[in-house]
Amino acid sequence: QAQVVEPGGGSVEAGGSLRLSCAPSGYTYGRWCVGWFRQVTGEEREGVATIVGDGITDYADSVKGRFTISIDNAKNIMYLQMNSLKPEDSGMYYCVTSWWATCGSRRGTNLPHVHQGTQVTVSS
């Protein structure tokens, strides 16, 4: 039976926290590059975080120290824990996956499999 995982987006005040979840159908997390990017309407994708291999992570400077990417292999779910949220963190967040052994330099914005986005709105 396929598991239903709520993506976890929503509205929160500045300083609050949200946790995004991603369990794409037909994909098993392993050592491949996966991650999150966000996008505001009319703007380019912004890579937020990636994780690959034995847990090697890469974060955008704007979220370092506030966001944490992780994978629960037992549940096959990837998370993005977002703390101390700021209004500029608002946007549509997308989970991305691949079968790539490395992430490259674009922090997930070019990964081939983009899954359903979830809206994050942070009010001041």
Side-chain angles (χ1 to χ4, degrees), residues 78-98:
M78 178 172 63
Y79 298 103
L80 184 68
Q81 178 66 45
M82 306 185 295
N83 299 328
S84 302
L85 282 161
K86 304 175 181 180
E88 52 264 42
D89 293 320
S90 298
M92 187 70 78
Y93 282 69
Y94 295 89
C95 157
V96 287
T97 60
S98 77

Side-chain angles (χ1 to χ4, degrees), residues 55 64 67 70:
K64 281 180 181 176
F67 289 15
S70 63

Side-chain angles (χ1 to χ4, degrees), residues 32-109:
W32 318 115
C33 179
V34 293
W36 301 85
F37 71 79
R38 63 190 180 192
Q39 190 168 25
V40 175
T41 302
E43 298 183 9
E44 294 186 355
R45 297 177 177 179
E46 178 188 9
V48 175
T50 56
I51 186 169
V52 66
D54 292 327
I56 300 170
T57 57
D58 181 36
Y59 295 94
D61 287 342
S62 59
V63 307
K64 281 180 181 176
R66 301 187 296 120
F67 289 15
T68 304
I69 186 172
S70 63
I71 296 172
D72 184 329
N73 287 298
K75 296 181 178 179
N76 200 44
I77 300 175
M78 178 172 63
Y79 298 103
L80 184 68
Q81 178 66 45
M82 306 185 295
N83 299 328
S84 302
L85 282 161
K86 304 175 181 180
E88 52 264 42
D89 293 320
S90 298
M92 187 70 78
Y93 282 69
Y94 295 89
C95 157
V96 287
T97 60
S98 77
W99 283 274
W100 298 355
T102 61
C103 290
S105 62
R106 296 180 62 180
R107 199 174 289 119
T109 58

